[in-house]
Amino acid sequence: MNPAWRKQRLVEYADGELSPGERAEVEAYLRDHPADRSVVERWQALRQSARRVLDAEPVPVGLAERVRARVAVARCRHSGRWYRLGASGLAAAAVLVFAVLMWPRGAQATSIQVSGFAAVHRRCALEQQHDALGVRRGARGASVRQLQAVEPLARQLPDLTAVGYQLESVCRCGPAECRGCGARVLHACFRRSDDQDVVVSAFVVDRSVQLCAADGSHCSQCQRGRRCFRCGTDGDITVVGWNEGRISYLLAARMQRQELTRLAEKLHVGEVWPEE
Amino acid sequence: MGGASENSFEALALPHLEFIYRIARRLTRDHHDAEDLVQETYLKAYAAFGRFEMRQFGVRPWLLRILNNTFLNRQQRQQRAPRSADQQALDEIHADDSDATPPELDFEHLDGEVKAAIESLSPEFRSVLLLWATMEFSYKEIAEILDLPVGTVMSRLHRARKQLTAALAAYAREQGIRGVDAEP
């Protein structure tokens, strides 16, 4: 074997890329060349080590259930859509009329489950204080205004500091369905100054979203002041959402629905994007 | 797309969830991002399930392909994509043509160093190396999953292993392990 060909052959042998005949040929060669056998063994050991690293990765508890739930919602929507489309042209026309009436601006709302926002609130705000934008690390006591310098979407963030909360952490985590439709999400965690146990997550999504329950049905709706809120619960967490212009705002917290809606009603949001 | 039958999406795709998550975790290097990526992958896979032909591809490679495309799309959206790995490889190919043989080390106790070395790879190299590391796929299958020519897979794999080897050799030198620089 010439050196270059030999080296390539040994790598392919270690990777299991050779035919049985070629393998036998290399194995015969290796019997007489212990140094090269050692090279092959090291390639294989490296691969096995890489595999051990991969296999050792712990999988989050409940991941399968969360994925199963999302697929169930997708199936529900899928079936509903085909039922409507397949039933008759009239049904399609009804959907079209409904869409025109509900979204006169032409914006299409994406349905997102309450549990998606609640899960991010639990994970990033309550359990881990996920702070990808370094609010705690770099700018202690940072205000929403300071945050705007590093994240343009923060201009839209409801400023809970004006109603007695402190900004604790900020990340870009959101429900997978938001990512799935290409939406950008900003998630900020606020803690009440006079009661450290009260934590509120504020989400900003750069498009219209509509909260829905786990079975895909719409969440309850209520009008308060100039805002129309949709509310839902997931376990002990309440999520309230509303749309302004092309932006969606959501709050999540361990609060009663009425209390969270009252808080949402008071909030000022930044520059509202112009309507299409 | 029935719910309970053995050919349903759940029955075919969910058994691969842990494997897909582990690949996603190493690709993204963040467990939040990994879970989001996995959920997005499964939703896309569900949406495309009607067009899926198992005899053509197999469930796991199909899921991996969706995972990889979703990962790349996210990177592009976040405008964090590094310059092309092929360009990197071309840049380096003349500068460094040394052997990529791993040093003589006790690999049983080097998983931490191997993990750090894998994470330091650029995404293009990392994805090839992770699929190779599963010991399930041939070069051709990796090429199909990543939608790359086989030659590119081999080239990226060579580069990835070389970087791993260099990292481990550096570690061995730090530890004063003999024979690291010896050419076998």
Side-chain angles (χ1 to χ4, degrees):
Chain A
M1 291 189 186
N2 75 56
W5 186 80
R6 182 203 65 188
K7 195 185 293 178
Q8 181 61 29
R9 241 342 187 220
L10 294 181
V11 168
E12 287 172 359
Y13 173 79
D15 288 349
E17 289 287 322
L18 300 182
S19 68
E22 291 168 329
R23 288 186 68 81
E25 187 187 339
V26 173
E27 279 160 7
Y29 168 84
L30 290 176
R31 275 196 288 277
D32 301 330
H33 297 81
D36 280 346
R37 193 165 63 237
S38 164
V39 169
V40 168
E41 284 165 1
R42 276 182 268 162
W43 279 126
Q44 290 169 334
L46 178 66
R47 193 178 192 186
Q48 280 160 1
S49 179
R51 183 178 184 164
R52 272 198 306 279
V53 165
L54 203 59
D55 289 346
E57 191 61 55
V59 176
V61 176
L63 176 62
E65 287 69 31
R66 290 191 286 279
V67 170
R68 204 185 292 273
R70 290 199 187 288
V71 170
V73 172
R75 169 175 291 118
C76 182
R77 287 193 204 125
H78 180 89
S79 313
R81 188 166 65 243
W82 282 106
Y83 173 76
R84 283 195 300 273
L85 290 174
S88 69
L90 187 60
V95 170
L96 187 62
V97 169
F98 176 76
V100 168
L101 290 175
M102 292 304 290
W103 296 293
R105 294 184 299 276
Q108 190 176 13
T110 305
S111 293
I112 310 280
Q113 280 186 66
V114 169
S115 60
F117 291 104
V120 177
H121 176 63
R122 276 194 197 97
R123 194 177 62 198
C124 296
L126 301 180
E127 292 166 12
Q128 295 170 8
Q129 299 190 327
H130 186 214
D131 189 26
L133 273 72
V135 167
R136 274 196 310 278
R137 192 176 59 245
R140 188 165 276 285
S143 69
V144 172
R145 286 187 189 284
Q146 285 170 308
L147 190 63
Q148 290 170 5
V150 288
E151 170 54 65
L153 201 55
R155 291 190 195 121
Q156 315 298 334
L157 203 58
D159 191 356
L160 274 80
T161 59
V163 290
Y165 286 76
Q166 288 176 325
L167 180 62
E168 282 228 324
S169 59
V170 180
C171 59
R172 295 187 177 94
C173 297
E177 290 147 308
C178 286
R179 297 275 179 85
C181 67
R184 291 180 63 227
V185 183
L186 192 67
H187 168 222
C189 166
F190 294 87
R191 192 177 292 275
R192 198 152 84 193
S193 307
D194 61 357
D195 184 351
Q196 295 290 300
D197 291 337
V198 180
V199 176
V200 176
S201 280
F203 296 88
V204 180
V205 186
D206 71 348
R207 65 189 59 194
S208 290
V209 301
Q210 196 162 355
L211 280 176
C212 70
D215 62 0
S217 63
H218 292 317
C219 287
S220 64
Q221 191 174 332
C222 66
Q223 184 81 34
R224 275 182 174 272
R226 62 193 170 86
R227 287 177 182 154
C228 177
F229 297 106
R230 285 196 183 271
C231 315
T233 54
D234 181 71
D236 59 348
I237 293 178
T238 302
V239 180
V240 169
W242 73 98
N243 294 337
E244 292 190 27
R246 285 164 46 208
I247 298 284
S248 292
Y249 303 90
L250 300 106
L251 299 182
R254 285 181 174 144
M255 279 187 194
Q256 294 298 314
R257 184 175 299 199
Q258 220 171 4
E259 191 184 357
L260 193 59
T261 312
R262 263 202 307 271
L263 176 63
E265 192 187 346
K266 285 187 225 164
L267 297 176
H268 294 286
V269 294
E271 309 158 12
V272 177
W273 287 16
E275 294 181 0
E276 281 180 332
Chain B
M1 290 191 216
S5 91
E6 61 183 19
N7 289 322
S8 70
F9 176 76
E10 284 91 337
L12 290 171
L14 284 179
H16 303 285
L17 184 64
E18 293 193 355
F19 176 84
I20 296 293
Y21 173 81
R22 289 187 173 116
I23 297 281
R25 176 69 180 81
R26 295 266 70 83
L27 276 177
T28 59
R29 299 183 289 196
D30 177 277
H31 63 273
H32 289 97
D33 289 346
E35 178 160 347
D36 280 352
L37 178 60
V38 168
Q39 294 204 11
E40 191 177 343
T41 297
Y42 269 77
L43 285 175
K44 284 185 177 175
Y46 174 74
F49 189 55
R51 301 190 297 277
F52 167 64
E53 284 195 51
M54 190 157 37
R55 65 196 154 98
Q56 183 194 342
F57 217 55
V59 180
R60 190 175 278 200
W62 176 66
L63 289 169
L64 284 168
R65 185 173 199 163
I66 296 172
L67 177 83
N68 187 62
N69 288 338
T70 307
F71 173 68
L72 293 178
N73 287 341
R74 280 178 168 217
Q75 282 219 310
Q76 283 167 358
R77 275 208 302 270
Q78 292 168 4
Q79 297 180 329
R80 286 189 311 194
R83 69 195 176 125
S84 150
D86 286 338
Q87 186 57 49
Q88 284 183 345
L90 283 173
D91 289 348
E92 292 165 12
I93 205 158
H94 298 298
D96 178 12
D97 198 26
S98 60
D99 193 6
T101 304
E104 284 188 61
L105 292 167
D106 180 5
F107 284 94
E108 292 286 327
H109 299 99
L110 278 179
D111 290 356
E113 282 67 34
V114 171
K115 182 177 176 179
I118 290 174
E119 296 215 334
S120 71
L121 296 172
S122 68
E124 291 88 347
F125 291 163
R126 202 158 64 235
S127 55
V128 173
L129 188 112
L130 288 171
L131 294 181
W132 166 79
T134 64
M135 303 171 90
E136 282 187 25
F137 304 116
S138 65
Y139 298 157
K140 184 169 176 285
E141 287 166 328
I142 295 173
E144 282 175 1
I145 290 168
L146 300 178
D147 200 17
L148 294 170
V150 174
T152 305
V153 167
M154 291 172 72
S155 153
R156 288 187 184 182
L157 186 55
H158 173 72
R159 292 279 152 191
R161 286 193 290 206
K162 195 167 170 177
Q163 287 182 30
L164 238 63
T165 298
L168 294 175
Y171 169 79
R173 274 193 296 274
E174 276 173 23
Q175 300 297 312
I177 299 170
R178 292 172 59 195
V180 165
D181 294 322
E183 182 75 21

